[in-house]
Amino acid sequence: MVLVSGDVADDGSVAGYTAAAQRVGRFAQARGIPQVYCPGNHDDRTSFAQVLGSGHLDAGGRDIGHLAGSNGERAAVSEVSGLRVITLDSLVPGHVHGLISDAQLAWLADVLGRPAPAGSVVALHHPPIAVASIPWTASTGLHNAGALGEVLAGRDVRAVLCGHFHAQIVGRLAGVPVSVTPGVVTRMDLTAPPTQWRGVQGAGATVVDLDADGPTFHMLQARDPQAGRPVYLIDVETMADVADEAYDTGGR
């Protein structure tokens, strides 16, 4: 399958979701594979639902997902060749960080109460792991990672797949492998001071292979002669642009 872990449309517009669905849909249809989406902090639930429905579509764009409930959150589940695919909605409107609601956690526990033939994969936008030397990964990630870990522990979840950080990071939550994928437009330069976000040009994606020994993750990087070109430099606390003598930020 192809998984888009958010943000799907940076401006949260219907036009943005339509454009994303068309591009990803062409990729999925050409390969005969499902396409799965979950919302990020820039997404809008109403527009997301209008275009993508549950966020679980087959190769032809038909909605095949089952939503968690009717409260507007876009948590959903579908099954692909015995593999259960669960998307969670970690969006906190107006904020950068993420949370999984109590209602979603209860639903997730109920879904995972029955093992799937090929196990489960859980996807959400905000990573439930952080890098100790980069404080903003904790402050902007999933704020109730412990609660999510309690639900995942001892279940059939083979991997947790996330986005948000625009960097490739791998760790574990309650013993489950967690993979954070780069952004599809820019990536974070993690050599920046820990109080700053330095975004540079460089599209990437992660390929996840599931086999009997567990998941393997490897990153694909776009063949882009402009890769590494600074795009923005932001102070994490104030969200203000920062002038950096060593880099031409080139605006945002």
Side-chain angles (χ1 to χ4, degrees):
M1 78 186 69
V2 56
L3 168 68
V4 182
S5 58
D7 305 298
V8 182
D10 204 43
D11 63 356
S13 69
V14 168
Y17 292 104
T18 301
Q22 289 173 345
R23 293 187 181 189
V24 177
R26 286 195 296 269
F27 181 91
Q29 187 171 33
R31 292 158 178 81
I33 59 175
Q35 47 191 305
V36 177
Y37 306 80
C38 55
N41 55 291
H42 285 280
D43 284 308
D44 176 84
R45 288 178 176 132
T46 301
S47 299
F48 181 106
Q50 181 175 334
V51 178
L52 300 172
S54 70
H56 292 235
L57 311 179
D58 66 11
R62 182 175 63 93
D63 196 329
I64 57 173
H66 301 280
L67 283 169
S70 57
N71 59 358
E73 294 178 332
R74 310 315 295 172
V77 61
S78 62
E79 192 170 296
V80 181
S81 300
L83 178 70
R84 183 167 49 202
V85 184
I86 302 167
T87 52
L88 300 176
D89 182 346
S90 56
L91 167 63
V92 181
H95 295 273
V96 177
H97 72 272
L99 283 171
I100 301 298
S101 67
D102 289 343
Q104 284 188 68
L105 290 172
W107 169 80
L108 178 62
D110 182 63
V111 169
L112 293 176
R114 176 184 59 84
S120 301
V121 168
V122 173
L124 69 159
H125 182 64
H126 294 85
I129 58 173
V131 180
S133 60
I134 308 175
W136 60 259
T137 60
S139 62
T140 64
L142 188 71
H143 279 198
N144 60 341
L148 176 60
E150 289 178 3
V151 176
L152 301 184
R155 305 293 187 168
D156 70 348
V157 179
R158 304 179 65 185
V160 176
L161 307 176
C162 313
H164 192 49
F165 287 164
H166 288 235
Q168 186 177 41
I169 300 171
V170 176
R172 286 183 176 271
L173 176 69
V176 180
V178 178
S179 174
V180 185
T181 194
V184 296
V185 177
T186 58
R187 65 173 176 83
M188 286 293 186
D189 178 359
L190 299 184
T191 67
T195 58
Q196 295 176 355
W197 287 328
R198 179 183 285 131
V200 300
Q201 190 163 321
T206 300
V207 176
V208 183
D209 291 320
L210 295 173
D211 57 34
D213 294 327
T216 59
F217 311 101
H218 70 273
M219 187 177 75
L220 300 179
Q221 292 179 301
R223 297 185 299 274
D224 182 358
Q226 296 296 315
R229 181 182 64 84
V231 178
Y232 58 83
L233 186 66
I234 299 175
D235 182 274
V236 174
E237 292 296 327
T238 66
M239 300 299 291
D241 289 327
V242 176
D244 184 350
E245 294 180 357
Y247 291 84
D248 175 13
T249 60
R252 294 181 60 188

